[in-house]
Amino acid sequence: MEHNQPEKVPYSLSSLNVEQATREWLEKRGVTIREIAELVLFLQQSYFPNLTIEECEASVEKVLMKREVQNALLTGVQLDILAEQRQLISPLQEMIENDEGLYGVDEILAFAIVNVYGSIGFTNYGYVDKLKPGVLGRLNDKSLGPIHTFFDDIVGAIAAAASSRIAHGRRLDQEQQADSSDMELPEDDEAK
């Protein structure tokens, strides 16, 4: 007797769908691209005084296009939601619900994001994670209700990665300008 089993369809997921879901969940959890860009500006403005908020927003947008970033954000948001719904096993439920200081998996997940643009991301992330400026202060405020144990670290990591991306890009621009000016001959030498 033959058993007719349905043919297994190969797994397929649209990268566009993943990116769209990432952006939707960022918004659903109450964070805008502009707020993350403000963190980027906070991190880089002393190094690049002419840096604009628009440039920071563009860098955040580029970071959000990376699949590793999308994966980390979606995973962290899901864990925070499950904690809000009290759906995690104990004692994990209590650790995430209270953002326990000895629980560091939220930072480990954030490291997957900061690592995308090099080691400077780690120092940028550590700095904003400690100070909690702007949107990070709001996300970290336990009195407001939602659990953001993972989400606040992810938002800080996105800002740190976007900041690192700008630092690397600006450095490359400076080096290319220096190289091109070295190649140009002074006016007096051209006439000879």
Side-chain angles (χ1 to χ4, degrees), residues 47-102:
Y47 301 106
F48 307 109
N50 63 342
L51 184 64
T52 66
I53 192 70
E54 292 78 18
E55 191 176 355
C56 296
E57 286 177 330
S59 189
V60 171
E61 294 284 355
K62 290 290 190 182
V63 169
L64 288 173
M65 293 172 73
K66 297 284 192 180
R67 181 60 82 92
E68 286 180 68
V69 174
Q70 298 162 2
N71 292 344
L73 185 137
L74 293 172
T75 301
V77 165
Q78 181 64 75
L79 288 167
D80 283 344
I81 290 171
L82 289 172
E84 289 170 1
Q85 297 171 346
R86 303 201 48 78
Q87 296 293 309
L88 299 171
I89 60 171
S90 186
L92 182 62
Q93 174 65 42
E94 294 78 17
M95 287 187 284
I96 293 177
E97 188 174 16
N98 293 289
D99 199 0
E100 184 189 306
L102 292 178

Short mmCIF file of all heavy atoms in Angstrom, two decimals, residues 47-102:
data_model
loop_
_atom_site.label_atom_id
_atom_site.label_comp_id
_atom_site.label_asym_id
_atom_site.label_seq_id
_atom_site.Cartn_x
_atom_site.Cartn_y
_atom_site.Cartn_z
N TYR A 47 33.06 64.40 16.51
CA TYR A 47 34.11 64.01 15.57
C TYR A 47 33.90 64.65 14.20
O TYR A 47 34.86 64.94 13.48
CB TYR A 47 34.15 62.49 15.40
CG TYR A 47 34.40 61.77 16.70
CD1 TYR A 47 33.36 61.09 17.35
CD2 TYR A 47 35.65 61.77 17.31
CE1 TYR A 47 33.57 60.43 18.55
CE2 TYR A 47 35.87 61.12 18.51
CZ TYR A 47 34.83 60.45 19.12
OH TYR A 47 35.04 59.81 20.31
N PHE A 48 32.64 64.84 13.84
CA PHE A 48 32.28 65.39 12.54
C PHE A 48 31.24 66.50 12.74
O PHE A 48 30.04 66.25 12.63
CB PHE A 48 31.73 64.30 11.60
CG PHE A 48 32.64 63.11 11.48
CD1 PHE A 48 32.31 61.90 12.04
CD2 PHE A 48 33.85 63.22 10.80
CE1 PHE A 48 33.15 60.80 11.93
CE2 PHE A 48 34.70 62.13 10.68
CZ PHE A 48 34.35 60.92 11.25
N PRO A 49 31.69 67.71 13.08
CA PRO A 49 30.75 68.80 13.41
C PRO A 49 29.75 69.15 12.31
O PRO A 49 28.68 69.66 12.59
CB PRO A 49 31.67 69.99 13.69
CG PRO A 49 33.00 69.39 14.00
CD PRO A 49 33.07 68.11 13.22
N ASN A 50 30.08 68.84 11.06
CA ASN A 50 29.16 69.16 9.97
C ASN A 50 28.19 68.02 9.65
O ASN A 50 27.45 68.08 8.67
CB ASN A 50 29.93 69.57 8.71
CG ASN A 50 30.79 68.43 8.17
OD1 ASN A 50 31.09 67.47 8.89
ND2 ASN A 50 31.22 68.55 6.92
N LEU A 51 28.17 66.99 10.47
CA LEU A 51 27.28 65.84 10.28
C LEU A 51 25.83 66.29 10.43
O LEU A 51 25.50 67.03 11.35
CB LEU A 51 27.61 64.76 11.32
CG LEU A 51 26.84 63.45 11.23
CD1 LEU A 51 27.17 62.72 9.93
CD2 LEU A 51 27.19 62.56 12.44
N THR A 52 24.98 65.84 9.52
CA THR A 52 23.57 66.24 9.56
C THR A 52 22.71 65.07 10.04
O THR A 52 23.09 63.90 9.92
CB THR A 52 23.07 66.66 8.16
OG1 THR A 52 23.09 65.52 7.29
CG2 THR A 52 23.92 67.79 7.60
N ILE A 53 21.53 65.41 10.53
CA ILE A 53 20.59 64.39 10.96
C ILE A 53 20.14 63.54 9.78
O ILE A 53 19.91 62.33 9.92
CB ILE A 53 19.38 65.01 11.72
CG1 ILE A 53 18.55 63.94 12.43
CG2 ILE A 53 18.51 65.83 10.78
CD1 ILE A 53 19.20 63.30 13.62
N GLU A 54 20.08 64.13 8.60
CA GLU A 54 19.70 63.38 7.40
C GLU A 54 20.74 62.31 7.06
O GLU A 54 20.39 61.20 6.65
CB GLU A 54 19.48 64.33 6.21
CG GLU A 54 18.27 65.24 6.35
CD GLU A 54 18.49 66.44 7.27
OE1 GLU A 54 19.65 66.80 7.56
OE2 GLU A 54 17.48 67.02 7.72
N GLU A 55 22.00 62.67 7.21
CA GLU A 55 23.07 61.69 6.97
C GLU A 55 22.98 60.55 7.99
O GLU A 55 23.19 59.38 7.65
CB GLU A 55 24.42 62.40 7.07
CG GLU A 55 25.59 61.58 6.59
CD GLU A 55 26.91 62.35 6.61
OE1 GLU A 55 26.92 63.56 6.90
OE2 GLU A 55 27.93 61.71 6.33
N CYS A 56 22.65 60.90 9.22
CA CYS A 56 22.49 59.88 10.26
C CYS A 56 21.31 58.97 9.96
O CYS A 56 21.40 57.75 10.12
CB CYS A 56 22.32 60.55 11.62
SG CYS A 56 23.76 61.48 12.17
N GLU A 57 20.21 59.56 9.50
CA GLU A 57 19.04 58.75 9.13
C GLU A 57 19.37 57.80 7.98
O GLU A 57 18.97 56.63 8.00
CB GLU A 57 17.88 59.66 8.72
CG GLU A 57 17.21 60.34 9.88
CD GLU A 57 16.10 61.29 9.46
OE1 GLU A 57 16.18 61.86 8.34
OE2 GLU A 57 15.17 61.47 10.25
N ALA A 58 20.10 58.29 7.00
CA ALA A 58 20.49 57.45 5.87
C ALA A 58 21.35 56.28 6.33
O ALA A 58 21.21 55.16 5.83
CB ALA A 58 21.23 58.28 4.82
N SER A 59 22.22 56.53 7.29
CA SER A 59 23.07 55.46 7.81
C SER A 59 22.24 54.43 8.58
O SER A 59 22.45 53.22 8.45
CB SER A 59 24.17 56.04 8.70
OG SER A 59 25.10 55.05 9.04
N VAL A 60 21.27 54.89 9.36
CA VAL A 60 20.37 53.97 10.07
C VAL A 60 19.61 53.11 9.06
O VAL A 60 19.48 51.89 9.24
CB VAL A 60 19.39 54.74 10.99
CG1 VAL A 60 18.31 53.81 11.55
CG2 VAL A 60 20.14 55.43 12.12
N GLU A 61 19.13 53.74 8.00
CA GLU A 61 18.41 53.00 6.96
C GLU A 61 19.28 51.88 6.37
O GLU A 61 18.81 50.77 6.15
CB GLU A 61 17.95 53.94 5.84
CG GLU A 61 16.92 54.96 6.25
CD GLU A 61 15.51 54.40 6.39
OE1 GLU A 61 15.29 53.20 6.09
OE2 GLU A 61 14.64 55.16 6.83
N LYS A 62 20.55 52.18 6.11
CA LYS A 62 21.47 51.17 5.56
C LYS A 62 21.68 50.02 6.55
O LYS A 62 21.73 48.86 6.15
CB LYS A 62 22.83 51.80 5.21
CG LYS A 62 22.77 52.72 4.02
CD LYS A 62 22.56 51.95 2.75
CE LYS A 62 22.74 52.85 1.54
NZ LYS A 62 22.49 52.14 0.30
N VAL A 63 21.81 50.36 7.82
CA VAL A 63 22.00 49.32 8.84
C VAL A 63 20.77 48.41 8.89
O VAL A 63 20.90 47.18 8.99
CB VAL A 63 22.29 49.96 10.22
CG1 VAL A 63 22.21 48.93 11.34
CG2 VAL A 63 23.66 50.64 10.22
N LEU A 64 19.60 49.00 8.80
CA LEU A 64 18.36 48.21 8.87
C LEU A 64 18.18 47.28 7.67
O LEU A 64 17.35 46.36 7.71
CB LEU A 64 17.15 49.13 9.01
CG LEU A 64 17.00 49.81 10.35
CD1 LEU A 64 15.86 50.83 10.31
CD2 LEU A 64 16.78 48.79 11.47
N MET A 65 18.95 47.48 6.63
CA MET A 65 18.87 46.62 5.45
C MET A 65 19.66 45.31 5.64
O MET A 65 19.52 44.38 4.84
CB MET A 65 19.37 47.36 4.22
CG MET A 65 18.46 48.52 3.84
SD MET A 65 19.14 49.55 2.53
CE MET A 65 18.91 48.47 1.12
N LYS A 66 20.49 45.25 6.67
CA LYS A 66 21.32 44.06 6.91
C LYS A 66 20.50 42.96 7.57
O LYS A 66 19.82 43.17 8.57
CB LYS A 66 22.50 44.41 7.82
CG LYS A 66 23.46 45.42 7.23
CD LYS A 66 24.31 44.76 6.20
CE LYS A 66 25.47 45.64 5.79
NZ LYS A 66 26.28 44.99 4.79
N ARG A 67 20.59 41.76 7.04
CA ARG A 67 19.80 40.64 7.56
C ARG A 67 20.15 40.31 9.00
O ARG A 67 19.28 39.98 9.80
CB ARG A 67 19.97 39.42 6.65
CG ARG A 67 19.18 38.19 7.07
CD ARG A 67 17.67 38.39 7.12
NE ARG A 67 17.03 38.26 5.85
CZ ARG A 67 16.52 37.13 5.38
NH1 ARG A 67 16.59 36.03 6.08
NH2 ARG A 67 15.96 37.12 4.20
N GLU A 68 21.42 40.39 9.37
CA GLU A 68 21.80 40.11 10.76
C GLU A 68 21.09 41.06 11.72
O GLU A 68 20.69 40.67 12.81
CB GLU A 68 23.31 40.24 10.96
CG GLU A 68 24.09 39.10 10.37
CD GLU A 68 25.58 39.28 10.59
OE1 GLU A 68 26.01 39.21 11.75
OE2 GLU A 68 26.29 39.49 9.60
N VAL A 69 20.95 42.30 11.33
CA VAL A 69 20.27 43.30 12.14
C VAL A 69 18.79 42.96 12.23
O VAL A 69 18.19 42.99 13.31
CB VAL A 69 20.49 44.71 11.55
CG1 VAL A 69 19.68 45.76 12.29
CG2 VAL A 69 21.97 45.07 11.55
N GLN A 70 18.20 42.62 11.11
CA GLN A 70 16.79 42.26 11.07
C GLN A 70 16.53 41.03 11.96
O GLN A 70 15.57 41.01 12.74
CB GLN A 70 16.37 41.97 9.63
CG GLN A 70 16.50 43.17 8.73
CD GLN A 70 16.51 42.81 7.25
OE1 GLN A 70 16.38 41.64 6.87
NE2 GLN A 70 16.67 43.81 6.40
N ASN A 71 17.39 40.03 11.85
CA ASN A 71 17.22 38.82 12.65
C ASN A 71 17.29 39.12 14.15
O ASN A 71 16.48 38.62 14.93
CB ASN A 71 18.30 37.79 12.30
CG ASN A 71 18.14 37.24 10.89
OD1 ASN A 71 17.09 37.37 10.26
ND2 ASN A 71 19.19 36.62 10.39
N ALA A 72 18.25 39.92 14.53
CA ALA A 72 18.41 40.27 15.95
C ALA A 72 17.21 41.05 16.46
O ALA A 72 16.68 40.78 17.54
CB ALA A 72 19.70 41.07 16.16
N LEU A 73 16.75 42.03 15.67
CA LEU A 73 15.61 42.84 16.10
C LEU A 73 14.36 41.99 16.26
O LEU A 73 13.68 42.06 17.28
CB LEU A 73 15.36 43.98 15.12
CG LEU A 73 14.25 44.95 15.57
CD1 LEU A 73 14.66 46.39 15.32
CD2 LEU A 73 12.94 44.66 14.90
N LEU A 74 14.05 41.17 15.27
CA LEU A 74 12.85 40.34 15.34
C LEU A 74 12.92 39.35 16.50
O LEU A 74 11.91 39.14 17.20
CB LEU A 74 12.63 39.62 14.01
CG LEU A 74 12.29 40.53 12.82
CD1 LEU A 74 12.28 39.73 11.52
CD2 LEU A 74 10.98 41.26 13.02
N THR A 75 14.07 38.77 16.74
CA THR A 75 14.23 37.83 17.85
C THR A 75 14.05 38.54 19.19
O THR A 75 13.32 38.06 20.06
CB THR A 75 15.61 37.16 17.78
OG1 THR A 75 15.74 36.47 16.54
CG2 THR A 75 15.81 36.18 18.93
N GLY A 76 14.70 39.68 19.35
CA GLY A 76 14.60 40.43 20.60
C GLY A 76 13.20 40.92 20.89
O GLY A 76 12.70 40.81 22.02
N VAL A 77 12.52 41.43 19.86
CA VAL A 77 11.15 41.90 20.04
C VAL A 77 10.25 40.74 20.45
O VAL A 77 9.43 40.86 21.37
CB VAL A 77 10.63 42.57 18.75
CG1 VAL A 77 9.11 42.74 18.77
CG2 VAL A 77 11.29 43.93 18.55
N GLN A 78 10.42 39.59 19.81
CA GLN A 78 9.59 38.44 20.16
C GLN A 78 9.80 38.03 21.61
O GLN A 78 8.84 37.73 22.33
CB GLN A 78 9.90 37.26 19.23
CG GLN A 78 9.05 36.03 19.52
CD GLN A 78 7.58 36.27 19.26
OE1 GLN A 78 7.14 36.32 18.12
NE2 GLN A 78 6.79 36.41 20.30
N LEU A 79 11.04 38.01 22.07
CA LEU A 79 11.31 37.64 23.47
C LEU A 79 10.70 38.66 24.44
O LEU A 79 10.14 38.28 25.47
CB LEU A 79 12.81 37.48 23.69
CG LEU A 79 13.40 36.23 23.05
CD1 LEU A 79 14.92 36.29 23.05
CD2 LEU A 79 12.90 34.98 23.76
N ASP A 80 10.80 39.94 24.11
CA ASP A 80 10.19 40.96 24.96
C ASP A 80 8.67 40.79 25.02
O ASP A 80 8.05 40.89 26.08
CB ASP A 80 10.53 42.37 24.46
CG ASP A 80 11.94 42.81 24.81
OD1 ASP A 80 12.58 42.19 25.68
OD2 ASP A 80 12.41 43.79 24.20
N ILE A 81 8.05 40.52 23.88
CA ILE A 81 6.59 40.33 23.83
C ILE A 81 6.19 39.10 24.65
O ILE A 81 5.22 39.13 25.41
CB ILE A 81 6.10 40.22 22.37
CG1 ILE A 81 6.21 41.59 21.69
CG2 ILE A 81 4.66 39.71 22.31
CD1 ILE A 81 5.96 41.55 20.19
N LEU A 82 6.93 38.02 24.49
CA LEU A 82 6.63 36.82 25.28
C LEU A 82 6.76 37.09 26.78
O LEU A 82 5.97 36.59 27.57
CB LEU A 82 7.54 35.66 24.86
CG LEU A 82 7.24 35.06 23.48
CD1 LEU A 82 8.32 34.06 23.09
CD2 LEU A 82 5.86 34.42 23.46
N ALA A 83 7.72 37.90 27.15
CA ALA A 83 7.87 38.27 28.57
C ALA A 83 6.68 39.11 29.03
O ALA A 83 6.17 38.92 30.15
CB ALA A 83 9.18 39.02 28.79
N GLU A 84 6.22 40.04 28.19
CA GLU A 84 5.04 40.84 28.54
C GLU A 84 3.81 39.96 28.73
O GLU A 84 2.96 40.22 29.58
CB GLU A 84 4.75 41.88 27.45
CG GLU A 84 5.75 43.00 27.40
CD GLU A 84 5.61 43.89 26.17
OE1 GLU A 84 4.71 43.67 25.32
OE2 GLU A 84 6.42 44.82 26.06
N GLN A 85 3.72 38.91 27.93
CA GLN A 85 2.59 37.98 28.00
C GLN A 85 2.79 36.90 29.06
O GLN A 85 1.94 36.03 29.21
CB GLN A 85 2.36 37.34 26.63
CG GLN A 85 1.97 38.33 25.57
CD GLN A 85 1.97 37.72 24.17
OE1 GLN A 85 2.48 36.62 23.93
NE2 GLN A 85 1.39 38.44 23.22
N ARG A 86 3.93 36.97 29.75
CA ARG A 86 4.30 35.99 30.79
C ARG A 86 4.30 34.56 30.23
O ARG A 86 3.83 33.63 30.86
CB ARG A 86 3.39 36.12 32.01
CG ARG A 86 3.43 37.53 32.59
CD ARG A 86 3.00 37.67 34.01
NE ARG A 86 3.57 36.76 34.97
CZ ARG A 86 4.80 36.82 35.52
NH1 ARG A 86 5.61 37.79 35.19
NH2 ARG A 86 5.19 35.93 36.40
N GLN A 87 4.89 34.41 29.03
CA GLN A 87 4.91 33.14 28.33
C GLN A 87 6.26 32.42 28.39
O GLN A 87 6.44 31.41 27.73
CB GLN A 87 4.52 33.36 26.86
CG GLN A 87 3.12 33.86 26.66
CD GLN A 87 2.09 32.82 27.06
OE1 GLN A 87 2.15 31.67 26.63
NE2 GLN A 87 1.15 33.22 27.90
N LEU A 88 7.21 32.96 29.15
CA LEU A 88 8.53 32.34 29.23
C LEU A 88 8.61 31.42 30.43
O LEU A 88 7.88 31.59 31.41
CB LEU A 88 9.61 33.43 29.31
CG LEU A 88 9.68 34.39 28.12
CD1 LEU A 88 10.62 35.54 28.42
CD2 LEU A 88 10.11 33.66 26.86
N ILE A 89 9.51 30.48 30.37
CA ILE A 89 9.70 29.58 31.51
C ILE A 89 10.36 30.33 32.66
O ILE A 89 11.09 31.30 32.45
CB ILE A 89 10.54 28.34 31.11
CG1 ILE A 89 11.92 28.77 30.61
CG2 ILE A 89 9.81 27.50 30.07
CD1 ILE A 89 12.89 27.62 30.41
N SER A 90 10.11 29.88 33.85
CA SER A 90 10.75 30.45 35.03
C SER A 90 12.09 29.75 35.23
O SER A 90 12.19 28.55 34.97
CB SER A 90 9.85 30.23 36.25
OG SER A 90 10.36 30.88 37.37
N PRO A 91 13.12 30.43 35.58
CA PRO A 91 13.28 31.82 36.02
C PRO A 91 13.59 32.80 34.87
O PRO A 91 13.80 33.98 35.12
CB PRO A 91 14.46 31.76 36.98
CG PRO A 91 15.33 30.68 36.41
CD PRO A 91 14.36 29.66 35.83
N LEU A 92 13.59 32.32 33.61
CA LEU A 92 13.86 33.22 32.49
C LEU A 92 12.83 34.35 32.45
O LEU A 92 13.17 35.50 32.20
CB LEU A 92 13.87 32.44 31.17
CG LEU A 92 14.19 33.24 29.91
CD1 LEU A 92 15.59 33.84 29.99
CD2 LEU A 92 14.04 32.36 28.68
N GLN A 93 11.57 34.01 32.72
CA GLN A 93 10.51 35.01 32.73
C GLN A 93 10.86 36.16 33.66
O GLN A 93 10.81 37.33 33.28
CB GLN A 93 9.17 34.38 33.17
CG GLN A 93 8.04 35.37 33.35
CD GLN A 93 7.62 36.05 32.06
OE1 GLN A 93 7.51 35.42 31.01
NE2 GLN A 93 7.39 37.35 32.12
N GLU A 94 11.26 35.85 34.86
CA GLU A 94 11.56 36.88 35.85
C GLU A 94 12.81 37.67 35.48
O GLU A 94 12.86 38.89 35.69
CB GLU A 94 11.71 36.24 37.24
CG GLU A 94 10.44 35.63 37.80
CD GLU A 94 10.06 34.27 37.23
OE1 GLU A 94 10.93 33.60 36.62
OE2 GLU A 94 8.89 33.87 37.36
N MET A 95 13.79 37.00 34.93
CA MET A 95 15.02 37.69 34.55
C MET A 95 14.76 38.72 33.45
O MET A 95 15.22 39.86 33.53
CB MET A 95 16.09 36.69 34.10
CG MET A 95 16.69 35.89 35.24
SD MET A 95 18.08 34.87 34.72
CE MET A 95 17.26 33.53 33.89
N ILE A 96 14.02 38.32 32.41
CA ILE A 96 13.75 39.24 31.31
C ILE A 96 12.75 40.30 31.74
O ILE A 96 12.91 41.48 31.42
CB ILE A 96 13.28 38.47 30.06
CG1 ILE A 96 14.43 37.61 29.53
CG2 ILE A 96 12.78 39.43 28.98
CD1 ILE A 96 14.09 36.74 28.34
N GLU A 97 11.74 39.90 32.48
CA GLU A 97 10.72 40.85 32.93
C GLU A 97 11.33 41.98 33.76
O GLU A 97 10.91 43.13 33.68
CB GLU A 97 9.69 40.09 33.77
CG GLU A 97 8.48 40.85 34.16
CD GLU A 97 7.46 39.96 34.85
OE1 GLU A 97 7.80 38.84 35.30
OE2 GLU A 97 6.32 40.39 34.95
N ASN A 98 12.35 41.67 34.53
CA ASN A 98 12.99 42.66 35.40
C ASN A 98 14.30 43.19 34.86
O ASN A 98 14.98 43.96 35.54
CB ASN A 98 13.21 42.05 36.79
CG ASN A 98 11.89 41.77 37.48
OD1 ASN A 98 11.20 42.69 37.89
ND2 ASN A 98 11.52 40.50 37.58
N ASP A 99 14.67 42.79 33.64
CA ASP A 99 15.93 43.22 33.03
C ASP A 99 17.08 43.07 34.03
O ASP A 99 17.84 43.99 34.29
CB ASP A 99 15.82 44.66 32.53
CG ASP A 99 16.89 45.01 31.49
OD1 ASP A 99 17.71 44.13 31.15
OD2 ASP A 99 16.90 46.17 31.05
N GLU A 100 17.18 41.88 34.57
CA GLU A 100 18.17 41.60 35.62
C GLU A 100 19.58 41.92 35.15
O GLU A 100 19.97 41.59 34.03
CB GLU A 100 18.09 40.13 36.03
CG GLU A 100 19.03 39.82 37.18
CD GLU A 100 19.16 38.34 37.48
OE1 GLU A 100 18.12 37.70 37.70
OE2 GLU A 100 20.30 37.86 37.49
N GLY A 101 20.34 42.55 36.02
CA GLY A 101 21.69 42.99 35.70
C GLY A 101 22.64 41.86 35.32
O GLY A 101 23.54 42.05 34.49
N LEU A 102 22.47 40.68 35.89
CA LEU A 102 23.36 39.56 35.57
C LEU A 102 22.93 38.80 34.32
O LEU A 102 23.63 37.91 33.87
CB LEU A 102 23.43 38.58 36.76
CG LEU A 102 24.13 39.13 38.00
CD1 LEU A 102 24.09 38.09 39.12
CD2 LEU A 102 25.55 39.53 37.69
#
